Every structure is written in C-alpha cells, then in structure tokens.
Amino acid sequence: MRVFLRVWLLLFFSSFALLQQMSIQASAAEITSGPGITIVYPSAQDGFVTLVVEDESGRRIKNLVFDHPVHRGKNVIRWDGSALQGVVAAGHYRVRGLFHREIAPHLEYSIYSPGTPPWPTADGTGAWLADHTAPASALFLPQGSSWPTKSDQPEMLLGAEAAEAGHALMWVDLDGRKLAGTKIRGWNGGIALARDVGKKPNPQHIAYTVYVVNPSRDFGVKDPGALQIYAITKGGLTPVDKVIGGVQMHDAFRQLVGLAAYDGLLLLANPAANEIVAFDVRDGVRPAFARFHVDKLGAIAFEPDGRLLVSSGGAIVRCAVQNDWHSVSLVDESTVVAKDKLQAPKQVLEADGEIYVTDWGTSHQVKVFDAASGKMLRVIGDPGGPQLGAYDERRMAHPLGMAVDSRGVLWVAEEDYLPKRISRWDAKSGRFLNAWYGPTQYGGGGFVDPKDKTRAYYPSIGNPGSMGLLEFKVDPKTGDSRLAAVRYRYPDPLNDAISYAGYPTRPIFFPNDMIPVGSHGGITPAQTFYFKGHQYFTDSYNTYWYNQSHVTTLWMLQDGICRPIASAGWVGSGAHHWTTLDLPAIKEKIPAGNPDGVFFTWTDSNHDHAVQPDEVQFFRPEVPGSAGVVIQPDLSVISGGPYQLPAASVDAFGVPSYDLSQLRLLSKTPVSGEVALSPDGWFIAGMSGVKDGQLQWTLPERGISTPPEGPGDIEGPKRMLGYPVKSARGEAGYMVARYSYMGEIYVYTTDGLLVTTMGGDARTSQFWPYKEQRVGMPITGLSFDAEQFWPFMFALDDGGVYLSVGKWHSSIVRLDGLDSIQRIDLGSITVTPAEIAAAEPLRHQAADTFRPSGRGARTGFAKGQGDGLRIVACGPMGADQ
C-alpha cells in the first residue's frame, strides 16, 4: 500500500510539473506573440531600467520606459509603435538604455541652516527665522508667552520683516532652542518689537510688533507703503492699526522704525515721516489717537520710570511723556548721549541702569552708556561692519534690534544678509558668546569645493541687498559648520545705488549691498572649479531661479576674495542687460541693429577688476543666439544657438582672452533652453541633446497642471543644476540635472537616458518628514517642495556626485547607488509593417486611456507567470505622443 501510494504521488507530481511547464511555455509563447512590437530584457537582478529606441544613425525614435522596475529573469516590453513623431516606420532600430539598483541621496551635512532640525517639523520647533529678510528685532519676555508656546518661563522673541518659507516671528528659550514660530497674514513678522515695561500693562497683551505692509516699490512716486502694528496676545495675533506716513520701503531700502509701550500707551516712531504715533491699548486695541512731529527722528524706548528715550538728530534724548489719552507730547527734554559719541544710531534700549545703542556708520557695534550721566561705559563688538574675506565673529554687520535677558546676555539681531545672524554677547563684559547664522534665502542653495568636502559655500542670490558668497568650514564627522569667510559682496561699496522698475537711482539703506534692476538672481558666484592652478567661480547656472540668462560672469579667488575677471553673453535689452555696456565709450562699439543678436565679451586684461572700453569686444553672428550662456571649466564659453567660443589664451594671472571671430555654431538645427557642454561631446539644450552637429535625442516634458503619473512623466523642468558631472563608479557617464517647480529633481545622462527622479510632486508627496537630523540619513520618500529654486548638483574629486537640496535650508546630500548603473545594449530589432499594424489597438488603447499629452505612466504585469517572466506593456508611458 505504501509503495503504491509513493508511486501514485510520484506520477501525480511529475504530471503536474509537466503540465505546469507546458502552461508556462504556452504563456511565454502567447506573450511573445501578442500584439505590439516585443522587446525582451533579461535581467540578472531586480532593479530599474530605462530603455530607448534609436535609428541606425543614433537619432532618438522612441523613449520606451523610464526608471522602470524590473525583476530577475525575462522582462518583456511591448511597444505600441508610437514614436517621437507619429508612428514609427518599418525598418531596423537599436534598443539601448541603462539598468540600476536603488539610487538614493544621503545627508552629508547642512550649512547656514541653524534650526534643529534645519527643516520645519510638525511641532513648529524645526527651521529658523525668515528666508526673504534678515533678522531685525529681538525682545526679552520675562514671563514667557502663553501664546503660542504656552510657557511661563523666560523666552526670547525674534523677528524679521517677512518670510515665505520659515517664520518671521520666532520664540526661543534662553539657550536659543526654537519653541515656536509664526507669520502674520502668512508672510510678515516684526522689524521692531516691544513689550509694556510699565506697572499697569494690558494683562492680555504679551508684546507688540510692527512691519512694513504693501511696501513701496517705486520710492514713493505712486505708492508710499505703510506700517502695520499687531498686538501679540494670549489668544493670538490682533491687528492694532495701519499707519501711513512717509515712504515705507522693503528689505534693504526700509527706513528705521521704533516701538515702545508703557502702562497701556503704545508709541510708534516713524522716522520716514519724522513723527511719533500714539495708541491706547489699555483694554483692547484702537486706532491711533495722536501724532506729533520730532525732528530727525530715530528709535524710541521707555525707561522703567516711564520716561522716553528718543533718538533724534543723532543724539539720544530723554523726555517726559504728557498723555491725557487725547493728545501726547514730550516735555523736559535733555540730551543723555551726545551725537558726537555716535555715528548712525539705530535702536535704543535701557537695561539695569544702562543705555544700549546699536550704531552703524563705520562702527557697527553696540555702545553702552550710563543712563544717569551718559558716560560711555563700553563698546560691544569690534568695529568695521560688513566683512569681505576671512570672517571675524566679533564684528557685527548692521546690528539693529537687541534685548538683554535675565541671565545678562545681550541678544543682537543683525540686519544683514552676509551673513544673516543672531549674535549673543555678555552684556557686562562685551565678550562674544555665540551666534546663529542663516537661514537660507527662499529656495535653498549651496555647493561644495570639489577638492575639499569640508569647504562648503552658500551663494546669497535673490534678495535686495543680499548678493554675495559665504564659505563655511565643515566637520564631516559631526556635520557641524562655522562661517569661515565672506568671499564676495555685490556691488563694490563705492557704487551704492539702485533703481526699481526704471525709476531714478537712489542710495540704498545698506551701504554695501545692491541688486541689478529687475533681477531675482545672478551677480553672485555660485559654482566653482579649478583650472591651471586657479580657483574660479561662475554664476552660469544661477542667473535666474527658473532658467539661465543672456549674460554670465567669471570670478577668480584672489587674496581670499572673489574678483570679477570676465563676462560674456548677448547684449540684449531685458532685465539682465548689463548696464555697463551703456557707457558711451562702450556703447558706440556695439554693432547697429537689434542688440539681442550681438555677442560680447569683457576680459580684465589689466587686472584692475574694472571695465575699460578697450577690454570689451562685440560681434554679430549671422545666426542669432539665445539665453543660456555658460563659462566652461576650461574657460571656453557656450550659449544657446548652440554656440561655442574657445578661450584664445589664458595669461599668467589666470585671465582668459577671446577671439570673437572664433564663435562657432555647433548645429544648424536651432536649440535653446538650459545649456551644458559635456566633455564627451554632447551639447545639452533643455531636454534635448546635440552631437556632431545633429539633434539626436529629446526627452518628453509637460506642464504642471496635474501631478505626474509615473516615472519619466517630467513636469515643468526648470533651471539646470550645474555642469555635467560623472561618478567615478558605474557606467552612467556624464549626467546633468534639472529641478521641477513642483518638487522633483530629474537626473539624466548627456546622451538622454533618465537616471532617476529624486523627490516627488508636492501635491502627492510628504514634505521633509524627519524629526531629527543625522549624518548619513537617507533623504527619500518625500517632496523637496514646490519652488525649491536653488538646488545644485556637483561632483567632487573623491569621485562622488552630490547635490544641495532643501527649500528652507541648505542640505548637502551624496547620491548613492550610481555605482550600480550598467549600460544596456539590446542590439538591433527589425520592425515590420505587419507588427506596426498589429500594434494599432495598443495605440488606440493608449489614446483612449491617457490624457491628451500622452505622457501618463502605463505599466502592466501579466498575472500568473512564474520564473521571473514579466510583461511591461509600453504604450506612451513617459513618452512622446
């Protein structure tokens, strides 16, 4: 019986195995003989594949699949016969691509991002202050803040004018740990802060803040702007009043504002109008009930006895306040601090019988005086103000708001962008304690020295008064960093003028910073390379947040400072037109006709870092070029067109020269967009590639109206993220990257193969979910967020590829997994008329299933197939309908 059973079972399982094998073979035959053009990819391991079809000359016919998951064994792809242009013709084609395992970024460190962690967190304690504006105000809250921190412990309140990402009002404990943050109207904070220092404050009010609302953009020609005051109460934010008077500017152009409160009397000092405005906040909030004029008005502060300190005419004056709640006046005026002891006084404060004044001019220090005698007691900080070169942490830059806490620590908000800084000092000895630097501008940014990963740079690009370059020294083991140098400030301090929208120029509020007309980027070194013993910097990939512009500049690091040595581009007439070219002795050299078609170069041949007419040359080629001008790491120049201009020579000082007759058109097929030229000969323009004079490949792209439907659905690619890079490991070859407005980063090879998409669409992916920061942590499963304007991609001499990512911060990540990339060559396939006709149902199915753009993801797997047999039904997924 047992023998019979064993024989029966053996026969049963043998028959079952045979039937199963026959079923698999039948299924495989059915799969390979089904509708569509069959392409088989045998994979030795699980991973991801990108495949394309090209004709015998290497011209792209079809993008089949992008970064698509495959499994060990046979992967069958059905092509519906669609092509970049309509339907494929019968003929011979080549199928190639690449395979890789998971590619993921891992955190190296963050710079210029002092939050813990640097990005926002659900509990409100992550990230740090404002992106668009510098720190402006500081206030000590001895009894804490029942809103929003719900704490009765001593706290500091820090403020800035405006934040789009980040917080314009921020509460921290006395060690600087962030407790909470907010924005008024989703945007504003405080350029001056005050609390009631009297004995009868409004018990519901914690503090008061003021900011510029609807700032004037035309220096008051048509719109004067206004000041908005809010009360920070135990229940939240309550508007007090909007004050119109004088011209209220934005960012670097803003005038000084003062705020003070005592026993329910709130006073606003508005120097733009030379008037003090009074409010009754004893039992609520009411509009202003009084205004009065003060000559050459500055800031104000109440003393503990109710007298008012007023900055007027460069001196600090003490006054008694007469107030009947219908009118207010200042009487019994006496000078406490003579004007010859100050240069340009800003905010004023009394603490422990001493008067503190933030002073600008050439000082940029906090000066401390005896409140009774006016005698100078000490000066906090070293003199000199904004820095260029090696950074000295004992020098402040535009110190403005300040407060002394219960530990005797002086907190100073330095209203400068290079760097943005909150510094702390021992109030009695003047000893520097520590500082917090940052955060970044809106959209992040940053890059690393290719020869030294411990040297990281932050280019401040997009805000008025903020153009420049910071260098940080990083401890790679801990991720900690310190500011080492200010490598660049724009412009030269002697050229201190600015204009918005064509209005006459006007000296700006900060004496050492400006931006060019109409620009939201550029004029800042933002990528670096070494050539023949010199370190160079360019702005070729950051002249605008969305795209490259018509002009680019080259700097060289000399004596610790980035010095401009060359510029190149199209003369043009738009926002990025270089106004230096309008100088009469230079403009007369420009060929007649449309300036958009004239190419120019400037090279600093006499090494004075200034432009002379004989250093500028112009040339009008027969075929006009376009925006997208890049100075290459070999000092040649490329441009949309596509054009290339080699460096004719490089002198002993490292300054290149050019012969414009050598400006060469690389292709008769016009191309435009973001440009790059790779050492392997590929010229990239937008999402297309040119080689040997021929347009060879194009990757599909579309708008951002809906989220992507799968890998390769490239939505709204913007600025290119730097020069082509190459990993020392893997077979990818040279790669470039672009970011999407909605939060993705696309990395693709210079021969047009998508390597990976990092991040997701902000509408469908979570935003930086990590509660803490750790060196080496993976940065995956998230969106980098919409409007992450300033990511960069760069390679280091260690063979790795890195990116800076983060909208609210600057985090340097290492792109791991590139070593797994293998090139795929599936050889030739022959497409017959019968196969094209047989695939027509698939084309109709794709047209009926997916949106009109035809760039949806279409991926299906056959069910019930064993032994790794897979079907990828490839219609227009990521492709070209």
Side-chain angles (χ1 to χ4, degrees), residues 18 30 215 286 303 318 384 396 465 558 572 574 582 599 616 654 707 733 743:
L18 178 61
E30 179 182 345
R286 299 178 181 84
E303 297 183 286
R318 177 178 286 124
M396 302 182 214
Q558 295 180 345
D582 295 332
F599 197 81
V616 184

Side-chain angles (χ1 to χ4, degrees), residues 302-343:
F302 272 112
E303 297 183 286
D305 62 3
R307 290 182 294 178
L308 187 69
L309 296 174
V310 180
S311 174
S312 177
I316 306 300
V317 178
R318 177 178 286 124
C319 311
V321 179
Q322 287 190 342
N323 170 33
D324 61 7
W325 304 106
H326 296 287
S327 63
V328 176
S329 60
L330 304 181
V331 297
D332 299 332
E333 298 181 9
S334 62
T335 299
V336 183
V337 179
K339 65 179 182 180
D340 61 359
K341 297 180 180 179
L342 299 166
Q343 295 186 36

Side-chain angles (χ1 to χ4, degrees), residues 450-797:
K451 293 184 177 297
D452 185 353
K453 193 164 62 176
T454 70
R455 294 179 65 190
Y457 302 92
Y458 183 76
S460 184
I461 299 170
N463 291 325
S466 72
M467 300 299 184
L469 180 67
L470 305 175
E471 180 181 329
F472 293 84
K473 187 66 175 178
V474 181
D475 181 342
K477 293 182 180 179
T478 64
D480 295 336
S481 63
R482 62 174 178 82
L483 182 59
V486 180
R487 295 298 184 201
Y488 185 69
R489 279 183 176 268
Y490 179 82
D492 186 289
L494 299 179
N495 183 19
D496 175 22
I498 189 167
S499 172
Y500 256 128
Y503 289 96
T505 58
R506 159 183 171 151
I508 64 172
F509 194 42
F510 293 172
N512 292 291
D513 308 304
M514 68 173 279
I515 63 169
V517 177
S519 175
H520 284 81
I523 321 303
T524 302
Q527 200 145 25
T528 188
F529 58 85
Y530 290 82
F531 184 69
K532 293 185 176 180
H534 300 284
Q535 185 176 7
Y536 296 92
F537 292 80
T538 75
D539 63 356
S540 295
Y541 289 99
N542 69 290
T543 45
Y544 193 68
W545 49 33
Y546 284 165
N547 50 261
Q548 296 165 329
S549 74
H550 294 78
V551 178
T552 188
T553 299
L554 179 70
W555 291 263
M556 184 191 298
L557 190 65
Q558 295 180 345
D559 300 323
I561 298 171
C562 290
R563 305 288 190 186
I565 61 169
S567 272
W570 302 94
V571 173
S573 56
H576 294 273
H577 169 72
W578 192 25
T579 54
T580 299
L581 301 180
D582 295 332
L583 295 173
I586 297 177
K587 189 173 184 178
E588 65 183 16
K589 300 172 62 176
I590 301 176
N594 185 353
D596 291 344
V598 176
F599 197 81
F600 81 91
T601 60
W602 163 69
T603 55
D604 186 30
S605 58
N606 66 356
H607 312 119
D608 66 350
H609 311 297
V611 180
Q612 282 81 39
D614 61 355
E615 296 176 329
V616 184
Q617 54 179 328
F618 299 92
F619 178 72
R620 182 187 294 279
E622 291 184 5
V623 178
S626 60
V629 182
V630 173
I631 296 177
Q632 291 282 100
D634 64 358
L635 304 187
S636 64
V637 182
I638 63 171
S639 169
Y643 277 104
Q644 183 181 23
L645 176 67
S649 64
V650 179
D651 68 20
F653 295 92
V655 177
S657 63
Y658 300 95
D659 178 358
L660 287 185
S661 69
Q662 299 302 306
L663 184 66
R664 180 168 63 96
L665 191 64
L666 297 181
S667 171
K668 294 182 179 179
T669 302
V671 293
S672 60
E674 304 296 288
V675 300
L677 179 60
S678 175
D680 59 9
W682 282 102
F683 189 100
I684 315 303
M687 302 303 288
S688 298
V690 173
K691 194 171 187 181
D692 299 327
Q694 300 297 318
L695 178 63
Q696 295 287 67
W697 60 263
T698 296
L699 294 180
E701 59 178 290
R702 64 170 179 86
I704 61 172
S705 59
T706 58
E709 297 183 6
D713 191 4
I714 298 172
E715 55 167 348
K718 300 299 182 185
R719 183 180 56 80
M720 195 169 286
L721 306 189
Y723 298 108
V725 300
K726 184 178 181 180
S727 172
R729 294 164 290 278
E731 299 176 358
Y734 285 96
M735 299 173 289
V736 292
R738 295 178 70 182
Y739 81 91
S740 166
Y741 181 90
M742 296 308 302
E744 304 99 326
I745 294 176
Y746 307 110
V747 181
Y748 51 103
T749 65
T750 54
D751 61 343
L753 302 175
L754 183 69
V755 173
T756 189
T757 299
M758 292 185 294
D761 186 290
R763 294 164 291 191
T764 57
S765 303
Q766 60 184 340
F767 171 67
W768 286 88
Y770 314 114
K771 295 180 180 180
E772 60 182 5
Q773 179 185 29
R774 301 187 314 277
V775 173
M777 65 187 292
I779 308 297
T780 57
L782 50 71
S783 172
F784 294 120
D785 204 6
E787 299 191 345
Q788 181 201 213
F789 286 138
W790 300 112
F792 286 89
M793 184 169 76
F794 43 88
L796 303 188
D797 287 356

Side-chain angles (χ1 to χ4, degrees), residues 37-248:
I37 302 161
T38 300
I39 297 171
V40 178
Y41 170 62
S43 181
Q45 56 186 317
D46 294 351
F48 303 85
V49 68
T50 290
L51 292 176
V52 300
V53 178
E54 295 172 340
D55 66 16
E56 292 178 315
S57 69
R59 184 174 61 90
R60 185 69 49 88
I61 299 299
K62 176 72 177 180
N63 296 294
L64 281 177
V65 290
F66 289 111
D67 201 20
H68 184 78
V70 294
H71 302 271
R72 189 175 70 86
K74 184 184 293 184
N75 297 267
V76 178
I77 299 165
R78 294 202 185 284
W79 174 21
D80 66 1
S82 61
L84 284 168
Q85 302 295 329
V87 178
V88 68
H92 301 288
Y93 299 96
R94 175 190 173 205
V95 180
R96 69 179 185 91
L98 54 81
F99 167 89
H100 64 83
R101 296 191 298 273
E102 182 184 19
I103 295 174
H106 289 80
L107 182 68
E108 290 280 310
Y109 51 76
S110 299
I111 59 169
Y112 206 44
S113 307
T116 307
W119 45 83
T121 54
D123 62 3
T125 61
W128 183 268
L129 262 181
D131 51 354
H132 281 310
T133 56
S137 54
L139 179 67
F140 175 53
L141 301 174
Q143 297 177 340
S145 183
S146 55
W147 181 90
T149 64
K150 300 180 175 59
S151 171
D152 59 3
Q153 298 301 305
E155 297 172 354
M156 297 298 300
L157 175 59
L158 306 173
E161 161 66 15
E164 190 169 353
H167 294 132
L169 289 172
M170 184 176 76
W171 287 257
V172 301
D173 64 20
L174 298 192
D175 294 318
R177 184 175 65 88
K178 184 180 177 184
L179 304 173
T182 192
K183 294 176 281 193
I184 302 172
R185 305 185 312 146
W187 190 265
N188 296 108
I191 55 176
L193 297 166
R195 64 179 176 87
D196 196 317
V197 297
K199 295 180 174 57
K200 296 181 291 183
N202 184 324
Q204 296 301 311
H205 290 186
I206 298 167
Y208 305 93
T209 183
V210 59
Y211 60 86
V212 178
V213 62
N214 301 324
S216 174
R217 293 288 186 173
D218 61 5
F219 302 115
V221 174
K222 295 180 180 178
D223 175 19
L227 297 171
Q228 176 69 56
I229 304 173
Y230 265 75
I232 301 171
T233 74
K234 293 181 178 180
L237 296 162
T238 302
V240 177
D241 198 7
K242 183 168 77 171
V243 175
I244 298 175
V247 178
Q248 303 299 338

